[in-house]
Amino acid sequence: MNLAHTTVLLWAWGSLQAFEIVEKENIFQRTPCPAFLMFDNAAYLADMSFELPCPCKPEEVSAVVWYYQKHLGSSHTKVLTDFDGRVLTEAAQVRVGSDMLVRFSIRMFSLLVFRAQPEDSGLYFCGTRKGDYFYAYDVDIQSSEGMVATFKDQGQEPLEDEYHGSLRVFTTFWEWTPCDRCGVRGEQWRIGLCYLQSPDLSPRYRKILPNVVSCGSRAVPRQLRAKASNHNPELLVRSCLMPCEKKKKVQEGVMAIFNYVSKVGSRPWLPQVPIQFHQQRLGHGLIISCPGARPEHAVAWDKDHQYLYRTQYLKGVNGSMRVFIDHGNHLHIRFTQLEDRGIYYCWRQGDRIAGFRLGVTSPGRYPVSFSDPETRAALGLILIGYMLITVIFISIHLCRCCCYLFRFCPNFSPRLSLP
């Protein structure tokens, strides 16, 4: 093959690639933008991550900018954009409580918001740098505080629908999660969010069903939203049993080393999952997260050979629990004690993926720092106690002074002398 033939083939291959790219762009641009801006309703639970695609844009627009408003027509608008050197945010880098401006990313014209909070509820607009909008969403982030847990194995039933005249408030459940453990009895659950049905909703908001939107939607008038405020999200839990898939055999090189060590001496302990070591001071709190897990995942926790089921350890089941699992799948240990020592295993989507070996040490002596939250809390309590004692001391002395003045103050009323 001579140079001319090679050049022709390369030109043809480049033309085919260019045609493929143009064809993809044509598919993206084939979706027409609405002539009148409407809002698609979407609801999520707090601490979840969600994606808002921008399904349409004008042909001349090569990059989109996302805008956020708390209420329609608000003068305060946040600009969410990745241009001017902004680094894409990764989910693992997001901290709880961070502002939304450091918890979002734009990829392929879609907006990704990580670990959404109820404060992120509002209106999201897909548009241009000039402020022209061509698609919008009405996002409702519902808080997990006060979430109602229902255990089907105990014969419990979900909350009943509420009726207030023409207003109907109910729970819409998601699909069941996979079983959180394999080979033993596990649990699976489904998340239910608050929705309502009313003929008095704003017509500018799109509904999945006629006159049905989430309870925190901007389409709901303020007086109707107040009636639905007492209907909290729900968590429906039931038992399950799932067989474990056969694991792949360990590589031959690793097995050879393992067999050699076993022959030389005692058989070493080989962990089945990665183990992380952590030392915790006695009496201090600890929160453990499962790697790569999200609130919608099926996550389970074990301590050594003890299974920590949600029917006993879910947050809110017992108000005095020292060890519990919250609705974000985190394991909490309050006031760590010596019996908390051990290995805590984490299951995700039915597979055990990690372990945390927890060691508990006596407090001992450690340098005091004002950056330590416990030090600041102790100083705050000392100052409050000192101020309270001072107020009581001053109040007692004021009372004594008032009693002295009223009791021994001379009487200046005129006296009548008898003849």
Side-chain angles (χ1 to χ4, degrees):
M1 183 179 293
N2 55 18
L3 182 61
H5 289 159
T6 305
T7 304
V8 171
L9 287 176
L10 291 176
W11 175 82
W13 175 253
S15 300
L16 288 174
Q17 285 187 328
F19 175 78
E20 182 181 2
I21 294 173
V22 172
E23 183 65 23
K24 288 182 179 179
E25 291 182 356
N26 288 337
I27 293 175
F28 180 81
Q29 297 171 0
R30 192 177 300 165
T31 304
C33 293
F36 185 74
L37 193 63
M38 302 286 289
F39 297 92
D40 287 352
N41 179 237
Y44 304 94
L45 190 66
D47 286 332
M48 285 186 175
S49 301
F50 64 88
E51 177 181 359
L52 301 179
C54 190
C56 71
K57 68 178 182 62
E59 185 177 356
E60 64 275 7
V61 176
S62 58
V64 300
V65 177
W66 284 85
Y67 299 87
Y68 167 78
Q69 287 184 359
K70 192 67 175 179
H71 303 283
L72 184 60
S74 175
S75 58
H76 181 66
T77 302
K78 289 184 179 181
V79 182
L80 311 177
T81 176
D82 279 344
F83 58 78
D84 294 336
R86 180 177 177 84
V87 180
L88 293 178
T89 304
E90 297 294 338
Q93 302 174 356
V94 174
R95 296 181 179 180
V96 179
S98 302
D99 188 78
M100 184 176 59
L101 293 177
V102 297
R103 285 188 290 103
F104 83 94
S105 178
I106 297 178
R107 300 175 185 177
M108 293 298 294
F109 308 108
S110 297
L111 176 68
L112 282 77
V113 179
F114 303 103
R115 306 201 72 165
Q117 301 300 314
E119 295 78 18
D120 300 335
S121 300
L123 306 176
Y124 291 80
F125 303 86
C126 176
T128 63
R129 298 188 183 187
K130 298 180 181 179
D132 298 328
Y133 304 147
F134 34 83
Y135 210 85
Y137 290 90
D138 167 36
V139 178
D140 174 24
I141 309 298
Q142 300 186 11
S143 175
S144 59
E145 294 295 330
M147 195 171 187
V148 180
T150 303
F151 303 100
K152 290 188 69 66
D153 295 345
Q154 299 178 4
Q156 300 177 1
E157 296 295 335
L159 296 176
E160 296 182 355
D161 297 353
E162 301 178 18
Y163 292 90
H164 305 276
S166 60
L167 174 65
R168 171 177 169 248
V169 185
F170 60 97
T171 301
T172 297
F173 286 95
W174 294 11
E175 294 293 332
W176 288 99
T177 64
C179 200
D180 58 5
R181 294 177 177 87
C182 69
V184 295
R185 185 181 74 85
E187 293 176 329
Q188 59 181 166
W189 57 91
R190 60 194 307 190
I191 297 174
L193 299 180
C194 178
Y195 276 76
L196 57 82
Q197 183 178 18
S198 174
D200 301 326
L201 304 178
S202 174
R204 194 171 182 180
Y205 296 80
R206 290 179 178 174
K207 298 90 177 175
I208 301 177
L209 297 174
N211 298 328
V212 174
V213 293
S214 60
C215 294
S217 170
R218 270 46 187 177
V220 182
R222 184 174 300 178
Q223 61 273 16
L224 295 183
R225 191 180 303 176
K227 294 180 180 179
S229 59
N230 295 328
H231 197 95
N232 297 322
E234 297 185 57
L235 186 69
L236 197 58
V237 184
R238 70 181 182 185
S239 298
C240 59
L241 185 62
M242 179 181 68
C244 294
E245 297 181 359
K246 293 183 179 180
K247 302 280 185 176
K248 293 182 179 179
K249 294 184 178 180
V250 186
Q251 297 179 359
E252 295 181 359
V254 178
M255 286 302 300
I257 297 174
F258 180 74
N259 293 330
Y260 176 77
V261 174
S262 301
K263 292 177 182 178
V264 172
S266 60
R267 189 184 183 98
W269 176 65
L270 184 64
Q272 298 180 353
V273 294
I275 302 294
Q276 179 181 349
F277 298 87
H278 179 75
Q279 291 285 345
Q280 184 71 10
R281 292 200 302 266
L282 184 68
H284 291 240
L286 178 66
I287 302 176
I288 308 177
S289 300
C290 189
R294 298 195 298 268
E296 61 270 24
H297 282 169
V299 177
W301 292 95
D302 301 338
K303 180 189 176 185
D304 295 328
H305 300 289
Q306 177 187 1
Y307 303 120
L308 306 180
Y309 290 112
R310 277 174 164 75
T311 51
Q312 298 176 349
Y313 291 92
L314 183 64
K315 178 182 178 181
V317 173
N318 188 352
S320 60
M321 286 191 302
R322 192 179 56 85
V323 179
F324 61 90
I325 303 172
D326 65 12
H327 298 295
N329 296 324
H330 304 101
L331 180 65
H332 294 247
I333 303 178
R334 302 173 57 191
F335 312 112
T336 308
Q337 299 180 4
L338 294 177
E339 57 265 25
D340 294 328
R341 292 178 294 186
I343 302 179
Y344 293 84
Y345 292 102
C346 166
W347 299 72
R348 188 187 67 196
Q349 300 293 91
D351 295 325
R352 192 161 62 174
I353 62 171
F356 302 86
R357 181 186 289 274
L358 177 62
V360 182
T361 59
S362 59
R365 292 185 178 182
Y366 59 93
V368 178
S369 174
F370 288 102
S371 61
D372 189 354
E374 296 179 355
T375 303
R376 294 198 298 267
L379 290 177
L381 290 176
I382 293 174
L383 290 176
I384 292 174
Y386 178 77
M387 293 177 60
L388 184 61
I389 293 173
T390 304
V391 170
I392 294 175
F393 178 80
I394 295 175
S395 301
I396 292 174
H397 279 271
L398 286 177
C399 292
R400 293 186 61 184
C401 291
C402 292
C403 292
Y404 178 81
L405 290 176
F406 283 108
R407 183 177 301 176
F408 298 101
C409 184
N411 189 5
F412 296 100
S413 58
R415 294 183 179 180
L416 297 177
S417 57
L418 297 175

